[in-house]
Amino acid sequence: MKITSAFLALIVSSCAFAQMKFPAVSSHAEIEQKVGLTDFEVVYNRPNVNNREIFGKLVPNGEVWRTGANENTTISFDQPIKVNGKELAAGKYGLFTIPNKNSWDIIFYKESNNWGNQVDWKESNVALKVSAVPTKLKNEKLETFEIRFTNVKQNNADLVLAWDDISVKVNLETNTTEAVLKMIKENLNSNSPARDFYNSANFYYTNRLDRKQALEWINTAIKKDEKAPGFFKDLKTKIEKDNY
């Protein structure tokens, strides 16, 4: 079989074209954040304002928004959490919103593999819906849509959605304290190393739990390790002085 030079040139041209890469109009972003013992990941695409009117026009009020561009924005976490005080099972969810002037609905949707909004929206797939009050940004406008975690602590953090002159925030609460207390109860014993007693005492002290128990554990840690580092004794001093 003969391959003409014109046909060969077409194949080479097609292969060369397939190898070309162009930047996405909306940049791709992935965020990982640990809150206590819970791992969070957000995957989304970040549209720009580009001199457009955003909320109320490009993103209509009262309609479901994919909360970004292109594929569904997704959020996943490996432990059950609470969102604005409401329970949500561990897993991966599509993160949708319904913006309005005075209130937003934040929706955790069980299906997350889709381009744009869900074509066949099913209320049965809404794992959780919470409300949040939008805040007007005073001194800045964000050209690029942004999702971020703020006020990150052992037991909670805020998930913030911000674009143009609007910011919306929901609180994420983890089960860190309950998980650590269970771990201590099940694993700490007379054979545990000094560092485990120190960490248990430090956790109790940091979270203002049973002071007497914290003092007992730090004393045990010091007894177990004759060459205990200075911060062992520093913690003992703090617990003795801080009568919380």
Side-chain angles (χ1 to χ4, degrees):
M1 178 180 179
K2 294 183 179 180
I3 300 177
T4 65
S5 58
F7 182 65
L8 183 60
L10 179 61
I11 294 175
V12 173
S13 175
S14 298
C15 291
F17 180 78
Q19 293 174 355
M20 296 175 69
K21 294 183 179 180
F22 295 89
V25 175
S26 298
S27 59
H28 181 81
E30 298 182 13
I31 309 169
E32 294 183 351
Q33 178 66 59
K34 182 178 283 292
V35 181
L37 299 175
T38 304
D39 291 314
F40 287 88
E41 182 180 36
V42 175
V43 179
Y44 72 117
N45 292 282
R46 307 180 63 192
N48 289 322
V49 173
N50 285 332
N51 295 315
R52 298 173 293 182
E53 185 178 343
I54 302 303
F55 297 109
K57 191 167 184 180
L58 178 67
V59 180
N61 288 330
E63 296 184 13
V64 175
W65 178 42
R66 56 186 151 180
T67 320
N70 304 332
E71 301 97 330
N72 292 166
T73 291
T74 64
I75 182 170
S76 57
F77 37 92
D78 61 350
Q79 303 287 337
I81 65 170
K82 291 182 180 179
V83 183
N84 285 1
K86 296 183 178 180
E87 295 184 357
L88 182 60
K92 180 179 180 181
Y93 300 92
L95 184 63
F96 294 93
T97 51
I98 301 178
N100 282 295
K101 187 175 182 180
N102 298 317
S103 179
W104 282 38
D105 286 334
I106 314 298
I107 302 168
F108 296 82
Y109 198 76
K110 294 178 184 178
E111 290 184 6
S112 59
N113 299 318
N114 196 64
W115 184 280
N117 285 343
Q118 296 290 331
V119 176
D120 184 19
W121 183 270
K122 298 178 181 178
E123 284 298 317
S124 59
N125 280 332
V126 175
L128 181 66
K129 181 190 292 185
V130 298
S131 296
V133 178
T135 300
K136 197 87 168 178
L137 299 176
K138 296 180 179 179
N139 300 318
E140 63 174 331
K141 285 192 175 184
L142 294 177
E143 171 65 24
T144 307
F145 176 59
E146 180 175 290
I147 299 178
R148 61 181 181 268
F149 292 88
T150 63
N151 301 320
V152 179
K153 302 175 182 178
Q154 285 189 349
N155 289 290
N156 56 73
D158 291 329
L159 180 69
V160 178
L161 317 175
W163 195 20
D164 195 21
D165 60 348
I166 294 295
S167 175
V168 179
K169 176 176 67 178
V170 293
N171 181 256
L172 308 176
E173 183 182 345
T174 67
N175 65 346
T176 303
T177 298
E178 292 83 354
V180 173
L181 291 179
K182 181 180 178 182
M183 178 185 66
I184 292 173
K185 182 178 180 180
E186 294 177 349
N187 295 280
L188 192 67
N189 58 65
S190 59
N191 295 319
S192 297
R195 183 56 66 94
D196 283 353
F197 279 96
Y198 167 82
N199 286 332
S200 298
N202 190 47
F203 184 82
Y204 264 51
Y205 172 70
T206 302
N207 290 276
R208 293 298 190 261
L209 301 174
D210 192 334
R211 178 173 171 270
K212 183 179 179 180
Q213 180 65 82
L215 188 58
E216 180 182 324
W217 282 336
I218 192 59
N219 284 332
T220 301
I222 294 172
K223 287 179 181 178
K224 277 181 164 283
D225 188 353
E226 295 179 355
K227 298 181 180 180
F231 56 80
F232 274 42
K233 294 181 179 179
D234 289 343
L235 178 60
K236 174 180 170 68
T237 301
K238 289 179 182 178
I239 295 173
E240 289 175 334
K241 290 183 176 180
D242 191 353
N243 189 21
Y244 60 87

